[in-house]
Amino acid sequence: MISCVTLVLVGVVLGAINVLLAVGSTAISPSFQLSFIMEALKAGVTEEIIFRFFLYALCIVIAGDHKFTRLQNVLCYLIMVLPHVFIHFELSTFNIVNVIVLALLFGFPFAWFQRKRDLISAMGSHAIVDIIRFCVFSA
């Protein structure tokens, strides 16, 4: 129950932030389609499994039976966050400030959820962010 409430609250807050960041560059065209939910779930589930779960498992395998040092913890978060952030940029729109903002606003919370809470929280909050974006911008 706590995971459900947490993922909804974080998903709605991050979804609102996502909309506010995109409002200047994307026309608002609200609509709702069942396909938006399916696309958001597909993105949330697959991206969290590929870019967080598998990469976190890789970090654990590399660290072995040892507890992560502070540096290993930072590197693990970077490994879990940056590849996912990079796939959302085209080469022509790449900007290091945008990468840092997206990594801190979206990548880090999802990675933190996956590590400290559970994978479902990360997938659910990610899907809610996408559902909000799809419904507000019809895409």
Side-chain angles (χ1 to χ4, degrees):
M1 185 64 168
I2 292 172
S3 288
C4 290
V5 171
T6 305
L7 77 84
V8 169
L9 287 175
V10 170
V12 168
V13 169
L14 291 178
I17 291 169
N18 195 20
V19 167
L20 291 174
L21 290 174
V23 145
S25 62
T26 307
I28 293 177
S29 176
S31 74
F32 177 79
Q33 297 175 17
L34 189 58
S35 64
F36 291 165
I37 293 173
M38 299 311 292
E39 287 297 314
L41 285 172
K42 184 172 70 171
V45 170
T46 58
E47 289 177 11
E48 292 306 316
I49 288 174
I50 293 168
F51 293 106
R52 309 251 199 267
F53 184 75
F54 285 147
L55 293 177
Y56 180 50
L58 177 65
C59 291
I60 290 172
V61 167
I62 291 170
D65 290 337
H66 308 297
K67 185 177 177 184
F68 285 0
T69 66
R70 182 170 279 159
L71 176 61
Q72 287 171 324
N73 229 355
V74 169
L75 289 174
C76 184
Y77 274 110
L78 288 174
I79 289 168
M80 292 172 70
V81 169
L82 290 179
H84 176 254
V85 170
F86 288 148
I87 67 163
H88 290 283
F89 285 99
E90 294 177 21
L91 196 53
S92 62
T93 62
F94 184 82
N95 176 332
I96 193 67
V97 173
N98 290 344
V99 169
I100 292 169
V101 168
L102 289 179
L104 291 175
L105 284 177
F106 301 102
F108 179 75
F110 296 150
W112 187 86
F113 262 2
Q114 196 270 315
R115 285 189 66 182
K116 302 296 182 181
R117 189 93 201 118
D118 54 36
L119 183 60
I120 299 298
S121 296
M123 289 189 288
S125 57
H126 189 156
I128 289 172
V129 169
D130 288 344
I131 289 168
I132 291 170
R133 185 180 72 240
F134 295 158
C135 290
V136 170
F137 300 113
S138 294

